[in-house]
Each structure stands twice: as C-alpha cells, then as structure tokens.
Amino acid sequence: EPNRQVYEVEVRAGMSAKRTIFYRSYNTTGVYTERVQIPFGPGYFSLTVLLRTTHGIVYEDTFHIGFNVDYMGGLWLIVFLPLVLASIPIFMFRRKPNWEEDEDYGGSRNGILGRAPPP
C-alpha cells in the first residue's frame, strides 16, 4: 500500500473553499516549496494550508501575512495618536494664574520656600 499513498495539498486565501489558490497531489513525503499568486491585490491575508492523507486525516494551518502594504501609514498613527491623546488633558486642565499670588501684583511677600526672605 505504500505505492498508493497520496497527499493532497490545498492552499486557500482565507477559510473559504471557493478561494482556493493552489492545489496539488504528491506521492511521496518530503519538504516542498511552491509559489502561489494571490489575485486579490495588496493587503493583509490569511493563508490556510490543508493536507489530506490517503486515510482521510486532515492537517490544517493558517498563516497571517501582509504584502505590498503601506506600513508607514499605520506607524504614523501608532506614534502620534498617543502623543495627541496625552496632550488633550494638559491643555484642558491648565492652571489658571492667580494674580493675587503674583509678587509684582502686590500679593504675598514669601520667598520660594514659602517663608519671608531673611533681612
């Protein structure tokens, strides 16, 4: 029966059987390299690889990839969004100056440490 062993390999773009982008049967075990073309354009995809043995055992694995994607657009958002969100409370809750505490205005005559300067 080793002569009748067939391994069916199927690669799908996503989980749907309608989006099969590669199918091939192999008669021997081993490591194979195949090239696939994804006809749906640049973006983020999940590739599902299915292997069916002669005995009906199914092995399945999913890989998430992104190709020809503008990563700088997302990187800009990751860097500047926290800075913008952190600056909002700073501008909203600024301390309003109290003119009575200003030394030039004639307020308290205490020094930096809160007490009167030495004579």
Side-chain angles (χ1 to χ4, degrees), residues 2 6 9 18 23 29 35 39 43 46 48 51 53 55 59 77 80 84 93 96-97 104 109 115 117:
V6 177
V9 176
K18 294 180 181 179
Y23 180 83
T29 60
R35 294 180 184 261
S46 60
T48 304
L51 170 72
T53 64
H55 304 292
Y59 298 96
L77 189 65
F80 287 109
V84 170
F93 301 112
K96 298 191 175 37
D104 295 334
R109 296 286 181 209
R115 58 180 182 227

Side-chain angles (χ1 to χ4, degrees), residues 38-107:
I38 300 177
F40 308 113
Y44 297 99
F45 293 97
S46 60
L47 293 179
T48 304
V49 179
L50 289 106
L51 170 72
R52 288 186 193 91
T53 64
T54 306
H55 304 292
I57 299 173
V58 178
Y59 298 96
E60 180 177 342
D61 202 357
T62 303
F63 302 95
H64 299 278
I65 62 168
F67 66 96
N68 291 342
V69 179
D70 182 21
Y71 291 107
M72 293 308 289
L75 183 64
W76 181 86
L77 189 65
I78 290 172
V79 170
F80 287 109
L81 187 63
L83 294 174
V84 170
L85 291 176
S87 65
I88 289 173
I90 291 172
F91 288 119
M92 287 181 63
F93 301 112
R94 272 191 313 204
R95 181 174 178 235
K96 298 191 175 37
N98 185 355
W99 298 112
E100 294 176 357
E101 294 179 1
D102 191 7
E103 292 180 10
D104 295 334
Y105 185 72

Side-chain angles (χ1 to χ4, degrees), residues 6-11 20-27 32-36 50-52:
V6 177
Y7 303 97
E8 298 175 354
V9 176
E10 182 178 351
V11 179
T20 300
I21 58 174
F22 177 80
Y23 180 83
R24 185 168 292 165
S25 295
Y26 297 100
N27 296 327
Y32 296 94
T33 302
E34 298 291 344
R35 294 180 184 261
V36 295
L50 289 106
L51 170 72
R52 288 186 193 91

